[in-house]
Amino acid sequence: MYIRHIQILLYLVLTLSGCSNLTSKRPEENVKKENLQQEVERTEKKEDTINNIETPSIEGRYDLIDGYAFFRDTIHNHPVYKAILLIKRISDKDFGFIVVRKVHGLTPVGEHGILSYNKNRFYMKNIDYSNKRIYHTEGISIRIEDSLLSTTRYVSNATEYDIWRKSDSESNVYISLRKTLQKEKEEYANFYEKISNDPELTGRDEFVYYESGKPYTKNDSVFQKKWKHYTTTNSYDHKTVNDIQE
């Protein structure tokens, strides 16, 4: 009988001990689950914060105050003589742009397209018509400081650097740029009309990133010094385009 009582007592002790262990494990598991949930919530909150950053207001007309291009195959830079940049907001995060640039001694050239703002930077928005797909590249870098705007444009064999000052949209345009600017406006209108009327390309909010090659950034430091100089001293020509009609 005594032995039986001992066995029962041992059984009770072991049972209580087991319950104690289970009781101690459950809080640990709950703590781990709570920590994991908190980490998930922090990550989601961070992503929401990044995605909800207000899109900078860059729309307007800009006139060039300093610009040049560096080519990979030459040690010489090519200064831009004149340029004008037009930016128009077309959605919460998208801007259509038209730019005309003239290197001294050469015929003006133009470009148009769409800039899309995502995760705290601007991307070039491109259209793959054959696959009915929209994708984005880091083909351009933009900075804003008061009425100044800088653009660094990475192309296949060169990097184009420009510093712009916001100007009156009604100001006159250099005579040598007018014809090219008008042509670019017409081409942009046709380009945008095709996009806006294509149901397979409109109303799509997905962000598709396409790696288009490593930007040629060798001379970026030189441009950064120029940009800092302009933004800290405002040492640029305050004459408007109305004053220069050549």
Side-chain angles (χ1 to χ4, degrees), residues 36-81:
L36 179 60
Q37 181 63 30
Q38 290 174 359
E39 183 63 29
V40 171
E41 290 175 355
R42 280 195 295 268
T43 301
E44 291 177 347
K45 185 177 181 180
K46 183 177 180 181
E47 290 178 353
D48 290 340
T49 301
I50 292 174
N51 292 330
N52 291 329
I53 292 175
E54 184 177 353
T55 304
S57 177
I58 61 171
E59 62 267 36
R61 167 181 163 168
Y62 296 85
D63 296 320
L64 184 76
I65 57 176
D66 199 343
Y68 54 97
F70 275 103
F71 289 82
R72 298 189 186 191
D73 300 328
T74 177
I75 61 173
H76 302 291
N77 65 342
H78 297 253
V80 180
Y81 186 42

mmCIF file of all heavy atoms in Angstrom, residues 36-81:
data_model
loop_
_atom_site.group_PDB
_atom_site.id
_atom_site.type_symbol
_atom_site.label_atom_id
_atom_site.label_comp_id
_atom_site.label_asym_id
_atom_site.label_seq_id
_atom_site.Cartn_x
_atom_site.Cartn_y
_atom_site.Cartn_z
ATOM 1 N N LEU A 36 6.571 38.784 -33.807
ATOM 2 C CA LEU A 36 6.492 38.592 -35.256
ATOM 3 C C LEU A 36 5.417 39.495 -35.853
ATOM 4 O O LEU A 36 5.625 40.128 -36.895
ATOM 5 C CB LEU A 36 6.192 37.123 -35.570
ATOM 6 C CG LEU A 36 6.054 36.767 -37.061
ATOM 7 C CD1 LEU A 36 7.347 37.094 -37.799
ATOM 8 C CD2 LEU A 36 5.703 35.297 -37.228
ATOM 9 N N GLN A 37 4.268 39.559 -35.184
ATOM 10 C CA GLN A 37 3.175 40.400 -35.664
ATOM 11 C C GLN A 37 3.573 41.865 -35.672
ATOM 12 O O GLN A 37 3.274 42.609 -36.611
ATOM 13 C CB GLN A 37 1.941 40.197 -34.777
ATOM 14 C CG GLN A 37 0.723 41.016 -35.207
ATOM 15 C CD GLN A 37 0.236 40.629 -36.592
ATOM 16 O OE1 GLN A 37 0.389 39.483 -37.005
ATOM 17 N NE2 GLN A 37 -0.314 41.591 -37.305
ATOM 18 N N GLN A 38 4.275 42.291 -34.617
ATOM 19 C CA GLN A 38 4.728 43.675 -34.543
ATOM 20 C C GLN A 38 5.718 43.995 -35.650
ATOM 21 O O GLN A 38 5.699 45.088 -36.226
ATOM 22 C CB GLN A 38 5.363 43.948 -33.174
ATOM 23 C CG GLN A 38 4.366 43.967 -32.027
ATOM 24 C CD GLN A 38 5.028 44.104 -30.675
ATOM 25 O OE1 GLN A 38 6.262 44.168 -30.588
ATOM 26 N NE2 GLN A 38 4.243 44.147 -29.614
ATOM 27 N N GLU A 39 6.607 43.037 -35.960
ATOM 28 C CA GLU A 39 7.578 43.226 -37.038
ATOM 29 C C GLU A 39 6.874 43.356 -38.378
ATOM 30 O O GLU A 39 7.233 44.198 -39.215
ATOM 31 C CB GLU A 39 8.562 42.050 -37.064
ATOM 32 C CG GLU A 39 9.668 42.187 -38.104
ATOM 33 C CD GLU A 39 10.571 43.380 -37.853
ATOM 34 O OE1 GLU A 39 10.722 43.767 -36.670
ATOM 35 O OE2 GLU A 39 11.106 43.921 -38.832
ATOM 36 N N VAL A 40 5.860 42.514 -38.592
ATOM 37 C CA VAL A 40 5.083 42.584 -39.839
ATOM 38 C C VAL A 40 4.387 43.936 -39.949
ATOM 39 O O VAL A 40 4.384 44.569 -41.013
ATOM 40 C CB VAL A 40 4.043 41.434 -39.890
ATOM 41 C CG1 VAL A 40 3.090 41.649 -41.070
ATOM 42 C CG2 VAL A 40 4.741 40.093 -40.018
ATOM 43 N N GLU A 41 3.795 44.389 -38.833
ATOM 44 C CA GLU A 41 3.094 45.673 -38.846
ATOM 45 C C GLU A 41 4.058 46.827 -39.107
ATOM 46 O O GLU A 41 3.730 47.773 -39.815
ATOM 47 C CB GLU A 41 2.375 45.873 -37.507
ATOM 48 C CG GLU A 41 1.182 44.930 -37.306
ATOM 49 C CD GLU A 41 0.563 45.074 -35.929
ATOM 50 O OE1 GLU A 41 1.124 45.843 -35.116
ATOM 51 O OE2 GLU A 41 -0.468 44.427 -35.684
ATOM 52 N N ARG A 42 5.266 46.761 -38.522
ATOM 53 C CA ARG A 42 6.269 47.811 -38.758
ATOM 54 C C ARG A 42 6.684 47.846 -40.222
ATOM 55 O O ARG A 42 6.832 48.918 -40.813
ATOM 56 C CB ARG A 42 7.496 47.586 -37.866
ATOM 57 C CG ARG A 42 7.321 48.055 -36.433
ATOM 58 C CD ARG A 42 8.664 48.151 -35.719
ATOM 59 N NE ARG A 42 9.281 46.837 -35.573
ATOM 60 C CZ ARG A 42 9.127 46.065 -34.514
ATOM 61 N NH1 ARG A 42 8.364 46.474 -33.503
ATOM 62 N NH2 ARG A 42 9.731 44.895 -34.431
ATOM 63 N N THR A 43 6.879 46.657 -40.806
ATOM 64 C CA THR A 43 7.264 46.582 -42.221
ATOM 65 C C THR A 43 6.167 47.146 -43.114
ATOM 66 O O THR A 43 6.441 47.915 -44.045
ATOM 67 C CB THR A 43 7.553 45.120 -42.612
ATOM 68 O OG1 THR A 43 8.598 44.609 -41.782
ATOM 69 C CG2 THR A 43 7.991 45.037 -44.078
ATOM 70 N N GLU A 44 4.922 46.771 -42.819
ATOM 71 C CA GLU A 44 3.802 47.261 -43.622
ATOM 72 C C GLU A 44 3.650 48.771 -43.482
ATOM 73 O O GLU A 44 3.382 49.472 -44.458
ATOM 74 C CB GLU A 44 2.510 46.568 -43.200
ATOM 75 C CG GLU A 44 2.465 45.076 -43.567
ATOM 76 C CD GLU A 44 1.207 44.400 -43.070
ATOM 77 O OE1 GLU A 44 0.495 45.026 -42.241
ATOM 78 O OE2 GLU A 44 0.919 43.272 -43.513
ATOM 79 N N LYS A 45 3.849 49.276 -42.255
ATOM 80 C CA LYS A 45 3.738 50.707 -42.019
ATOM 81 C C LYS A 45 4.832 51.459 -42.771
ATOM 82 O O LYS A 45 4.588 52.525 -43.332
ATOM 83 C CB LYS A 45 3.830 50.994 -40.518
ATOM 84 C CG LYS A 45 3.606 52.460 -40.159
ATOM 85 C CD LYS A 45 3.634 52.651 -38.664
ATOM 86 C CE LYS A 45 3.377 54.115 -38.306
ATOM 87 N NZ LYS A 45 3.399 54.328 -36.838
ATOM 88 N N LYS A 46 6.046 50.891 -42.779
ATOM 89 C CA LYS A 46 7.164 51.514 -43.492
ATOM 90 C C LYS A 46 6.881 51.573 -44.988
ATOM 91 O O LYS A 46 7.129 52.582 -45.646
ATOM 92 C CB LYS A 46 8.450 50.730 -43.224
ATOM 93 C CG LYS A 46 9.693 51.351 -43.858
ATOM 94 C CD LYS A 46 10.935 50.553 -43.492
ATOM 95 C CE LYS A 46 12.176 51.164 -44.122
ATOM 96 N NZ LYS A 46 13.396 50.391 -43.787
ATOM 97 N N GLU A 47 6.354 50.459 -45.530
ATOM 98 C CA GLU A 47 6.039 50.425 -46.956
ATOM 99 C C GLU A 47 4.945 51.424 -47.291
ATOM 100 O O GLU A 47 4.997 52.100 -48.322
ATOM 101 C CB GLU A 47 5.616 49.010 -47.358
ATOM 102 C CG GLU A 47 6.759 47.997 -47.328
ATOM 103 C CD GLU A 47 6.294 46.597 -47.693
ATOM 104 O OE1 GLU A 47 5.074 46.405 -47.824
ATOM 105 O OE2 GLU A 47 7.156 45.716 -47.846
ATOM 106 N N ASP A 48 3.924 51.513 -46.415
ATOM 107 C CA ASP A 48 2.850 52.470 -46.643
ATOM 108 C C ASP A 48 3.374 53.896 -46.617
ATOM 109 O O ASP A 48 2.967 54.745 -47.409
ATOM 110 C CB ASP A 48 1.749 52.310 -45.585
ATOM 111 C CG ASP A 48 0.968 51.011 -45.763
ATOM 112 O OD1 ASP A 48 1.018 50.462 -46.868
ATOM 113 O OD2 ASP A 48 0.328 50.558 -44.795
ATOM 114 N N THR A 49 4.316 54.169 -45.694
ATOM 115 C CA THR A 49 4.897 55.507 -45.591
ATOM 116 C C THR A 49 5.651 55.866 -46.862
ATOM 117 O O THR A 49 5.530 56.964 -47.397
ATOM 118 C CB THR A 49 5.858 55.590 -44.383
ATOM 119 O OG1 THR A 49 5.132 55.282 -43.201
ATOM 120 C CG2 THR A 49 6.466 56.985 -44.284
ATOM 121 N N ILE A 50 6.440 54.903 -47.363
ATOM 122 C CA ILE A 50 7.205 55.136 -48.597
ATOM 123 C C ILE A 50 6.266 55.376 -49.775
ATOM 124 O O ILE A 50 6.463 56.276 -50.581
ATOM 125 C CB ILE A 50 8.127 53.931 -48.894
ATOM 126 C CG1 ILE A 50 9.234 53.849 -47.838
ATOM 127 C CG2 ILE A 50 8.745 54.062 -50.285
ATOM 128 C CD1 ILE A 50 10.111 52.620 -47.968
ATOM 129 N N ASN A 51 5.226 54.550 -49.864
ATOM 130 C CA ASN A 51 4.304 54.646 -50.990
ATOM 131 C C ASN A 51 3.426 55.884 -50.928
ATOM 132 O O ASN A 51 2.919 56.344 -51.948
ATOM 133 C CB ASN A 51 3.427 53.392 -51.071
ATOM 134 C CG ASN A 51 4.232 52.161 -51.446
ATOM 135 O OD1 ASN A 51 5.232 52.265 -52.153
ATOM 136 N ND2 ASN A 51 3.819 51.000 -50.968
ATOM 137 N N ASN A 52 3.225 56.419 -49.710
ATOM 138 C CA ASN A 52 2.336 57.552 -49.548
ATOM 139 C C ASN A 52 3.071 58.893 -49.477
ATOM 140 O O ASN A 52 2.473 59.905 -49.148
ATOM 141 C CB ASN A 52 1.487 57.377 -48.282
ATOM 142 C CG ASN A 52 0.480 56.244 -48.435
ATOM 143 O OD1 ASN A 52 -0.003 55.980 -49.525
ATOM 144 N ND2 ASN A 52 0.175 55.571 -47.335
ATOM 145 N N ILE A 53 4.378 58.876 -49.728
ATOM 146 C CA ILE A 53 5.125 60.134 -49.757
ATOM 147 C C ILE A 53 4.537 61.031 -50.839
ATOM 148 O O ILE A 53 4.314 60.596 -51.968
ATOM 149 C CB ILE A 53 6.615 59.875 -50.029
ATOM 150 C CG1 ILE A 53 7.243 59.152 -48.834
ATOM 151 C CG2 ILE A 53 7.344 61.180 -50.299
ATOM 152 C CD1 ILE A 53 8.682 58.753 -49.056
ATOM 153 N N GLU A 54 4.295 62.260 -50.493
ATOM 154 C CA GLU A 54 3.659 63.174 -51.435
ATOM 155 C C GLU A 54 4.544 63.393 -52.657
ATOM 156 O O GLU A 54 5.735 63.627 -52.549
ATOM 157 C CB GLU A 54 3.395 64.507 -50.738
ATOM 158 C CG GLU A 54 2.637 65.489 -51.607
ATOM 159 C CD GLU A 54 2.330 66.780 -50.880
ATOM 160 O OE1 GLU A 54 2.598 66.820 -49.658
ATOM 161 O OE2 GLU A 54 1.845 67.726 -51.519
ATOM 162 N N THR A 55 3.926 63.314 -53.823
ATOM 163 C CA THR A 55 4.659 63.516 -55.069
ATOM 164 C C THR A 55 5.086 64.972 -55.191
ATOM 165 O O THR A 55 4.257 65.876 -55.050
ATOM 166 C CB THR A 55 3.776 63.141 -56.276
ATOM 167 O OG1 THR A 55 3.321 61.794 -56.131
ATOM 168 C CG2 THR A 55 4.555 63.279 -57.573
ATOM 169 N N PRO A 56 6.365 65.235 -55.423
ATOM 170 C CA PRO A 56 6.834 66.624 -55.560
ATOM 171 C C PRO A 56 6.120 67.339 -56.699
ATOM 172 O O PRO A 56 5.777 66.731 -57.715
ATOM 173 C CB PRO A 56 8.324 66.457 -55.869
ATOM 174 C CG PRO A 56 8.684 65.104 -55.361
ATOM 175 C CD PRO A 56 7.457 64.255 -55.553
ATOM 176 N N SER A 57 5.909 68.607 -56.525
ATOM 177 C CA SER A 57 5.269 69.408 -57.562
ATOM 178 C C SER A 57 6.345 69.954 -58.498
ATOM 179 O O SER A 57 7.060 70.896 -58.162
ATOM 180 C CB SER A 57 4.484 70.562 -56.924
ATOM 181 O OG SER A 57 3.909 71.383 -57.906
ATOM 182 N N ILE A 58 6.460 69.365 -59.672
ATOM 183 C CA ILE A 58 7.507 69.794 -60.606
ATOM 184 C C ILE A 58 6.933 70.374 -61.892
ATOM 185 O O ILE A 58 7.687 70.771 -62.784
ATOM 186 C CB ILE A 58 8.448 68.614 -60.977
ATOM 187 C CG1 ILE A 58 7.662 67.497 -61.668
ATOM 188 C CG2 ILE A 58 9.172 68.092 -59.757
ATOM 189 C CD1 ILE A 58 8.543 66.410 -62.252
ATOM 190 N N GLU A 59 5.610 70.434 -62.022
ATOM 191 C CA GLU A 59 5.036 70.903 -63.269
ATOM 192 C C GLU A 59 5.347 72.380 -63.509
ATOM 193 O O GLU A 59 5.521 73.155 -62.576
ATOM 194 C CB GLU A 59 3.521 70.672 -63.305
ATOM 195 C CG GLU A 59 2.733 71.397 -62.234
ATOM 196 C CD GLU A 59 2.525 70.536 -61.012
ATOM 197 O OE1 GLU A 59 3.412 69.759 -60.645
ATOM 198 O OE2 GLU A 59 1.460 70.666 -60.395
ATOM 199 N N GLY A 60 5.445 72.733 -64.771
ATOM 200 C CA GLY A 60 5.724 74.114 -65.135
ATOM 201 C C GLY A 60 6.696 74.194 -66.300
ATOM 202 O O GLY A 60 7.065 73.185 -66.911
ATOM 203 N N ARG A 61 7.106 75.401 -66.587
ATOM 204 C CA ARG A 61 8.103 75.648 -67.633
ATOM 205 C C ARG A 61 9.430 75.997 -66.969
ATOM 206 O O ARG A 61 9.484 76.743 -65.990
ATOM 207 C CB ARG A 61 7.661 76.786 -68.536
ATOM 208 C CG ARG A 61 8.819 77.276 -69.425
ATOM 209 C CD ARG A 61 8.434 78.397 -70.314
ATOM 210 N NE ARG A 61 9.623 79.072 -70.809
ATOM 211 C CZ ARG A 61 9.619 79.972 -71.795
ATOM 212 N NH1 ARG A 61 8.491 80.298 -72.379
ATOM 213 N NH2 ARG A 61 10.736 80.537 -72.184
ATOM 214 N N TYR A 62 10.500 75.462 -67.539
ATOM 215 C CA TYR A 62 11.849 75.718 -67.015
ATOM 216 C C TYR A 62 12.768 76.135 -68.154
ATOM 217 O O TYR A 62 12.715 75.565 -69.249
ATOM 218 C CB TYR A 62 12.414 74.461 -66.350
ATOM 219 C CG TYR A 62 11.645 74.010 -65.127
ATOM 220 C CD1 TYR A 62 10.529 73.193 -65.256
ATOM 221 C CD2 TYR A 62 12.045 74.393 -63.850
ATOM 222 C CE1 TYR A 62 9.817 72.772 -64.142
ATOM 223 C CE2 TYR A 62 11.345 73.978 -62.730
ATOM 224 C CZ TYR A 62 10.234 73.167 -62.883
ATOM 225 O OH TYR A 62 9.536 72.761 -61.776
ATOM 226 N N ASP A 63 13.621 77.122 -67.866
ATOM 227 C CA ASP A 63 14.639 77.555 -68.823
ATOM 228 C C ASP A 63 16.014 77.163 -68.306
ATOM 229 O O ASP A 63 16.285 77.240 -67.104
ATOM 230 C CB ASP A 63 14.571 79.066 -69.027
ATOM 231 C CG ASP A 63 13.245 79.495 -69.651
ATOM 232 O OD1 ASP A 63 12.768 78.783 -70.548
ATOM 233 O OD2 ASP A 63 12.690 80.527 -69.218
ATOM 234 N N LEU A 64 16.866 76.761 -69.208
ATOM 235 C CA LEU A 64 18.203 76.288 -68.840
ATOM 236 C C LEU A 64 19.082 77.429 -68.326
ATOM 237 O O LEU A 64 19.108 78.509 -68.900
ATOM 238 C CB LEU A 64 18.872 75.644 -70.058
ATOM 239 C CG LEU A 64 20.237 75.008 -69.797
ATOM 240 C CD1 LEU A 64 20.063 73.674 -69.083
ATOM 241 C CD2 LEU A 64 20.986 74.803 -71.125
ATOM 242 N N ILE A 65 19.806 77.160 -67.236
ATOM 243 C CA ILE A 65 20.818 78.129 -66.788
ATOM 244 C C ILE A 65 22.223 77.528 -66.845
ATOM 245 O O ILE A 65 23.207 78.243 -66.805
ATOM 246 C CB ILE A 65 20.521 78.646 -65.365
ATOM 247 C CG1 ILE A 65 20.429 77.505 -64.363
ATOM 248 C CG2 ILE A 65 19.252 79.474 -65.361
ATOM 249 C CD1 ILE A 65 20.241 77.984 -62.927
ATOM 250 N N ASP A 66 22.320 76.198 -66.946
ATOM 251 C CA ASP A 66 23.632 75.556 -67.093
ATOM 252 C C ASP A 66 23.402 74.121 -67.573
ATOM 253 O O ASP A 66 22.573 73.404 -67.013
ATOM 254 C CB ASP A 66 24.381 75.537 -65.769
ATOM 255 C CG ASP A 66 25.886 75.310 -65.952
ATOM 256 O OD1 ASP A 66 26.284 74.856 -67.033
ATOM 257 O OD2 ASP A 66 26.647 75.596 -65.002
ATOM 258 N N GLY A 67 24.123 73.725 -68.600
ATOM 259 C CA GLY A 67 23.945 72.364 -69.089
ATOM 260 C C GLY A 67 25.100 71.905 -69.953
ATOM 261 O O GLY A 67 25.729 72.705 -70.657
ATOM 262 N N TYR A 68 25.385 70.619 -69.899
ATOM 263 C CA TYR A 68 26.449 70.043 -70.718
ATOM 264 C C TYR A 68 26.289 68.526 -70.729
ATOM 265 O O TYR A 68 25.518 67.954 -69.959
ATOM 266 C CB TYR A 68 27.832 70.436 -70.202
ATOM 267 C CG TYR A 68 28.072 70.110 -68.748
ATOM 268 C CD1 TYR A 68 28.744 68.952 -68.372
ATOM 269 C CD2 TYR A 68 27.606 70.957 -67.743
ATOM 270 C CE1 TYR A 68 28.961 68.658 -67.033
ATOM 271 C CE2 TYR A 68 27.822 70.670 -66.408
ATOM 272 C CZ TYR A 68 28.496 69.521 -66.059
ATOM 273 O OH TYR A 68 28.696 69.231 -64.742
ATOM 274 N N ALA A 69 27.036 67.872 -71.615
ATOM 275 C CA ALA A 69 26.975 66.412 -71.729
ATOM 276 C C ALA A 69 28.387 65.850 -71.782
ATOM 277 O O ALA A 69 29.273 66.421 -72.422
ATOM 278 C CB ALA A 69 26.211 66.010 -72.986
ATOM 279 N N PHE A 70 28.598 64.749 -71.082
ATOM 280 C CA PHE A 70 29.870 64.032 -71.136
ATOM 281 C C PHE A 70 29.657 62.718 -71.893
ATOM 282 O O PHE A 70 28.747 61.951 -71.575
ATOM 283 C CB PHE A 70 30.380 63.715 -69.717
ATOM 284 C CG PHE A 70 31.159 64.831 -69.097
ATOM 285 C CD1 PHE A 70 30.586 65.644 -68.138
ATOM 286 C CD2 PHE A 70 32.472 65.075 -69.481
ATOM 287 C CE1 PHE A 70 31.303 66.675 -67.557
ATOM 288 C CE2 PHE A 70 33.198 66.115 -68.904
ATOM 289 C CZ PHE A 70 32.608 66.912 -67.945
ATOM 290 N N PHE A 71 30.518 62.472 -72.880
ATOM 291 C CA PHE A 71 30.443 61.232 -73.644
ATOM 292 C C PHE A 71 31.541 60.274 -73.192
ATOM 293 O O PHE A 71 32.637 60.698 -72.840
ATOM 294 C CB PHE A 71 30.565 61.520 -75.143
ATOM 295 C CG PHE A 71 29.357 62.206 -75.718
ATOM 296 C CD1 PHE A 71 29.202 63.576 -75.593
ATOM 297 C CD2 PHE A 71 28.371 61.469 -76.350
ATOM 298 C CE1 PHE A 71 28.087 64.215 -76.103
ATOM 299 C CE2 PHE A 71 27.250 62.096 -76.870
ATOM 300 C CZ PHE A 71 27.112 63.471 -76.749
ATOM 301 N N ARG A 72 31.258 58.997 -73.237
ATOM 302 C CA ARG A 72 32.208 57.998 -72.746
ATOM 303 C C ARG A 72 33.486 57.946 -73.570
ATOM 304 O O ARG A 72 34.552 57.651 -73.062
ATOM 305 C CB ARG A 72 31.563 56.612 -72.753
ATOM 306 C CG ARG A 72 30.354 56.502 -71.851
ATOM 307 C CD ARG A 72 29.899 55.064 -71.745
ATOM 308 N NE ARG A 72 28.654 54.960 -70.993
ATOM 309 C CZ ARG A 72 28.153 53.826 -70.572
ATOM 310 N NH1 ARG A 72 28.775 52.690 -70.838
ATOM 311 N NH2 ARG A 72 27.024 53.789 -69.899
ATOM 312 N N ASP A 73 33.363 58.214 -74.863
ATOM 313 C CA ASP A 73 34.497 58.010 -75.761
ATOM 314 C C ASP A 73 35.347 59.261 -75.963
ATOM 315 O O ASP A 73 36.196 59.304 -76.844
ATOM 316 C CB ASP A 73 33.987 57.512 -77.123
ATOM 317 C CG ASP A 73 33.230 56.206 -76.992
ATOM 318 O OD1 ASP A 73 33.581 55.415 -76.102
ATOM 319 O OD2 ASP A 73 32.290 55.981 -77.771
ATOM 320 N N THR A 74 35.105 60.287 -75.176
ATOM 321 C CA THR A 74 35.896 61.499 -75.333
ATOM 322 C C THR A 74 36.095 62.154 -73.970
ATOM 323 O O THR A 74 35.285 61.993 -73.067
ATOM 324 C CB THR A 74 35.209 62.500 -76.292
ATOM 325 O OG1 THR A 74 35.998 63.690 -76.348
ATOM 326 C CG2 THR A 74 33.808 62.826 -75.811
ATOM 327 N N ILE A 75 37.190 62.890 -73.846
ATOM 328 C CA ILE A 75 37.454 63.567 -72.575
ATOM 329 C C ILE A 75 36.777 64.943 -72.542
ATOM 330 O O ILE A 75 36.801 65.626 -71.527
ATOM 331 C CB ILE A 75 38.973 63.735 -72.354
ATOM 332 C CG1 ILE A 75 39.582 64.605 -73.476
ATOM 333 C CG2 ILE A 75 39.655 62.404 -72.241
ATOM 334 C CD1 ILE A 75 41.041 64.956 -73.241
ATOM 335 N N HIS A 76 36.193 65.349 -73.676
ATOM 336 C CA HIS A 76 35.600 66.678 -73.763
ATOM 337 C C HIS A 76 34.116 66.639 -73.413
ATOM 338 O O HIS A 76 33.415 65.688 -73.725
ATOM 339 C CB HIS A 76 35.782 67.248 -75.174
ATOM 340 C CG HIS A 76 37.217 67.331 -75.595
ATOM 341 N ND1 HIS A 76 38.106 68.212 -75.029
ATOM 342 C CD2 HIS A 76 37.914 66.627 -76.532
ATOM 343 C CE1 HIS A 76 39.300 68.063 -75.595
ATOM 344 N NE2 HIS A 76 39.208 67.102 -76.500
ATOM 345 N N ASN A 77 33.664 67.701 -72.771
ATOM 346 C CA ASN A 77 32.233 67.829 -72.535
ATOM 347 C C ASN A 77 31.644 68.749 -73.602
ATOM 348 O O ASN A 77 32.348 69.528 -74.233
ATOM 349 C CB ASN A 77 31.940 68.352 -71.130
ATOM 350 C CG ASN A 77 32.436 69.770 -70.933
ATOM 351 O OD1 ASN A 77 33.260 70.248 -71.696
ATOM 352 N ND2 ASN A 77 31.934 70.433 -69.907
ATOM 353 N N HIS A 78 30.356 68.635 -73.788
ATOM 354 C CA HIS A 78 29.677 69.421 -74.812
ATOM 355 C C HIS A 78 28.674 70.338 -74.123
ATOM 356 O O HIS A 78 27.612 69.878 -73.684
ATOM 357 C CB HIS A 78 28.962 68.500 -75.806
ATOM 358 C CG HIS A 78 29.894 67.623 -76.567
ATOM 359 N ND1 HIS A 78 30.191 67.830 -77.891
ATOM 360 C CD2 HIS A 78 30.622 66.546 -76.191
ATOM 361 C CE1 HIS A 78 31.047 66.911 -78.303
ATOM 362 N NE2 HIS A 78 31.327 66.123 -77.291
ATOM 363 N N PRO A 79 28.980 71.626 -74.005
ATOM 364 C CA PRO A 79 28.054 72.535 -73.323
ATOM 365 C C PRO A 79 26.760 72.718 -74.113
ATOM 366 O O PRO A 79 26.770 72.748 -75.346
ATOM 367 C CB PRO A 79 28.844 73.844 -73.233
ATOM 368 C CG PRO A 79 29.846 73.757 -74.334
ATOM 369 C CD PRO A 79 30.195 72.306 -74.467
ATOM 370 N N VAL A 80 25.656 72.820 -73.398
ATOM 371 C CA VAL A 80 24.370 73.078 -74.033
ATOM 372 C C VAL A 80 24.187 74.588 -74.109
ATOM 373 O O VAL A 80 24.325 75.293 -73.099
ATOM 374 C CB VAL A 80 23.225 72.441 -73.222
ATOM 375 C CG1 VAL A 80 21.890 72.715 -73.901
ATOM 376 C CG2 VAL A 80 23.463 70.949 -73.080
ATOM 377 N N TYR A 81 23.876 75.052 -75.299
ATOM 378 C CA TYR A 81 23.793 76.493 -75.533
ATOM 379 C C TYR A 81 22.455 77.055 -75.046
ATOM 380 O O TYR A 81 22.393 78.060 -74.354
ATOM 381 C CB TYR A 81 23.994 76.751 -77.025
ATOM 382 C CG TYR A 81 24.081 78.194 -77.424
ATOM 383 C CD1 TYR A 81 24.803 79.119 -76.669
ATOM 384 C CD2 TYR A 81 23.441 78.648 -78.575
ATOM 385 C CE1 TYR A 81 24.900 80.444 -77.048
ATOM 386 C CE2 TYR A 81 23.531 79.971 -78.972
ATOM 387 C CZ TYR A 81 24.250 80.863 -78.203
ATOM 388 O OH TYR A 81 24.346 82.183 -78.580
#
